[in-house]
Amino acid sequence: VSTQSTWGKMKKKFLSVFLCLSAVLLGVIHCHSKEEWRNRTVYQLLTDRFARSDGRTEPCYNFSSFCGGTYRGILNNLDYIAGMGFDAIWISPIVENSGHVFDGYHGYYTSDFYGLNLRFGTEEDLHALIEECHRRNIWVMFDVVANHVAPVTNNTDYSPIKIFNDSKYFHPFDQIRPEDYGNNQERVENCWLANLPDLNQSIPFVRKTLLEWINWLVKKYKIDGIRIDTAAHVPKDFWDEFCKSAAVFSVGEITVPKYDYQAGYVKVMDSILNFMLHYKLVDIFARNASMTILKEHYENVRTHFPDPRILGTFLDNHDQPRLLSRVPKVARFKCALILTILTGFSLFH
């Protein structure tokens, strides 16, 4: 059994090296292993909310619309980012977003997978940002979405969605219920999240198109990694193909706080965001739970994850209330922040 296990690990390692080498030969020149990524410190920023091109800093009052952040704004602040000690950035999805129903200032309302969200800047601006990051040894991670597209009128008019412009490419409308998470995986994968049309990856055309798109995206922009949005909402066998097609480091978003549930995804992608630790830190520092739950957490992590160091640890992100908004005590915030850098590779928002 030990020999078989060793051989299985060797085969997986060989496949990873082969895919990475193939990507390099085909033009993806920034191919870093998950072992290299675990030594990186990632700065997550919402492109629209970070910095404007012209340096203006007046407040934005309409938080449901665009506030003016751009790729040039990020580029102009790389000294600031590097000065804080970050050597990787995670930026918002770059694809064209729909304003047909709601503004996609966050990047998660895809209307054209091959289009660019020009509110963030031009293709030249994006290339300039990536090239300058690489010159400074700052790696670039794109947020990517393959679960859903932008909201459509009456949940029926798909005409604004490029490529997937017909209901036949989607699961029938049926909203996911809160109780489905961790209890009914079929509904989590086949129903809609927050009125977002749910792509059906079992349809050959949908699957093939998404696999070709991620391969194209990585090659075109020569990025170093991808953060996979709503990973739990798509079958694992699709992610296995998707990550191989991307051929760069991948980290998935799975929010269900169950260790065995989460562990299933590290078999098909390089890493996952450590929501288990995030929830524990919120319980301890915002809700006065006992520190003993951390001991239980680390025991569960050791049981379920072969290499806990590759888990993406974080305290705050764009989807969760900041800890300081839950409890405005800086000392607690600092203590919680320290615990995110003890294991895993750290992401800061």
Side-chain angles (χ1 to χ4, degrees), residues 112-132:
D112 183 359
F113 282 86
Y114 285 92
L116 193 66
N117 191 337
L118 296 178
R119 299 294 291 263
F120 299 159
T122 65
E123 185 176 310
E124 291 74 19
D125 293 335
L126 182 53
H127 278 298
L129 169 61
I130 296 168
E131 289 168 8
E132 182 60 20

Side-chain angles (χ1 to χ4, degrees), residues 33-309:
S33 69
K34 63 182 180 181
E35 288 76 17
E36 292 175 297
W37 265 96
R38 73 183 178 205
N39 295 315
R40 291 273 148 166
T41 306
V42 184
Y43 188 47
Q44 185 219 345
L45 51 91
L46 281 181
T47 302
D48 177 66
R49 301 298 161 89
F50 181 65
R52 300 180 177 103
S53 298
D54 58 8
R56 291 182 297 112
T57 58
E58 65 265 22
C60 175
Y61 296 103
N62 184 0
F63 294 142
S64 62
S65 188
F66 290 92
C67 290
T70 64
Y71 301 128
R72 287 287 172 184
I74 301 172
L75 177 61
N76 295 340
N77 284 277
L78 287 179
D79 284 341
Y80 166 72
I81 293 171
M84 290 190 289
F86 295 106
D87 49 17
I89 59 172
W90 153 19
I91 66 174
S92 303
I94 70 162
V95 296
E96 183 177 329
N97 268 226
S98 174
H100 188 60
V101 179
F102 302 105
D103 280 338
Y105 70 88
H106 40 63
Y108 297 103
Y109 288 170
T110 304
S111 58
D112 183 359
F113 282 86
Y114 285 92
L116 193 66
N117 191 337
L118 296 178
R119 299 294 291 263
F120 299 159
T122 65
E123 185 176 310
E124 291 74 19
D125 293 335
L126 182 53
H127 278 298
L129 169 61
I130 296 168
E131 289 168 8
E132 182 60 20
C133 282
H134 287 159
R135 191 185 72 80
R136 295 167 177 255
N137 192 31
I138 296 174
W139 296 353
V140 180
M141 176 184 289
F142 278 5
D143 209 325
V144 297
V145 187
N147 171 65
H148 58 263
V149 298
V152 296
T153 303
N154 298 323
N155 297 325
T156 57
D157 179 13
Y158 297 91
S159 59
I161 309 300
K162 300 287 181 63
I163 305 176
F164 304 123
N165 59 355
D166 192 282
S167 62
K168 65 184 179 183
Y169 301 125
F170 299 88
H171 291 115
F173 174 75
D174 188 4
Q175 294 278 29
I176 298 173
R177 305 168 305 205
E179 62 268 24
D180 291 332
Y181 290 102
N183 299 305
N184 192 330
Q185 187 61 18
E186 182 179 1
R187 286 187 54 82
V188 171
E189 293 176 354
N190 297 327
C191 295
W192 292 28
L193 170 66
N195 285 317
L196 298 171
D198 196 75
L199 285 162
N200 186 346
Q201 292 80 10
S202 68
I203 295 173
F205 175 77
V206 174
R207 196 180 197 93
K208 179 174 181 289
T209 300
L210 291 172
L211 297 179
E212 290 176 347
W213 165 72
I214 193 60
N215 183 270
W216 169 86
L217 188 77
V218 170
K219 287 180 181 177
K220 181 174 179 63
Y221 293 104
K222 297 181 174 61
I223 57 174
D224 307 280
I226 55 173
R227 179 264 189 184
I228 300 174
D229 184 68
T230 50
H233 295 256
V234 179
K236 297 185 187 70
D237 63 327
F238 171 78
W239 291 133
D240 187 40
E241 294 181 45
F242 188 83
C243 292
K244 288 174 181 174
S245 187
V248 291
F249 178 75
S250 56
V251 55
E253 177 201 31
I254 303 97
T255 60
V256 177
K258 293 186 176 182
Y259 294 91
D260 54 347
Y261 183 96
Q262 298 252 349
Y265 290 88
V266 295
K267 298 175 183 177
V268 296
M269 54 189 67
D270 292 313
S271 176
I272 60 171
L273 296 172
N274 196 342
F275 274 88
M276 296 86 68
L277 178 61
H278 166 76
Y279 295 136
K280 294 292 187 292
L281 294 177
V282 170
D283 285 342
I284 292 168
F285 293 102
R287 299 173 183 142
N288 299 316
S290 169
M291 287 286 286
T292 59
I293 66 174
L294 274 183
K295 177 177 181 291
E296 298 167 2
H297 165 74
Y298 289 121
E299 288 173 348
N300 272 305
V301 167
R302 283 194 295 269
T303 298
H304 290 92
F305 297 93
D307 184 6
R309 296 172 298 172

